[in-house]
Amino acid sequence: ITGIDNDTPTQLNVHLTTITNALGYEVQLLIAGVWTTVKLSSQARTIRLIGLLSGTVQQVRARAIGGSTGESAWCMPGSSMVD
């Protein structure tokens, strides 16, 4: 994750580094203590998460999927206030 920002009070934009040979990216949010997949994207390096609760801090992590290894390791989680 290279950055997290938002355009509206109920969304976050998660910016990802390009991973060579990746077919797409998987993004998870930490919901009630459990990492939950909320978005799969093919080749997009900015993933928009919508329908989030304004005024909350969201923890996000991502990984590349596809390619020769099936998927990469999860990146270090990032967090941002939804406002």
Side-chain angles (χ1 to χ4, degrees), residues 3-14:
I4 303 171
D5 58 37
N6 63 336
D7 297 327
T8 67
T10 59
Q11 77 178 33
L12 290 177
N13 299 311
V14 181

Side-chain angles (χ1 to χ4, degrees), residues 16-76:
L16 306 174
T17 301
T18 299
I19 304 295
T20 303
N21 298 325
L23 300 176
Y25 300 91
E26 179 178 8
V27 176
Q28 292 187 331
L29 287 176
L30 189 60
I31 300 172
V34 177
W35 287 107
T36 304
T37 298
V38 293
K39 193 79 161 194
L40 294 173
S41 177
S42 62
Q43 296 300 322
R45 289 192 2 207
T46 297
I47 311 296
R48 180 169 287 149
L49 306 178
I50 60 174
L52 303 174
L53 183 61
S54 183
T56 61
V57 174
Q58 299 292 325
Q59 291 190 24
V60 182
R61 71 179 185 176
R63 68 179 174 178
I65 54 175
S68 61
T69 61
E71 68 261 340
S72 70
W74 291 103
C75 71
M76 293 296 296

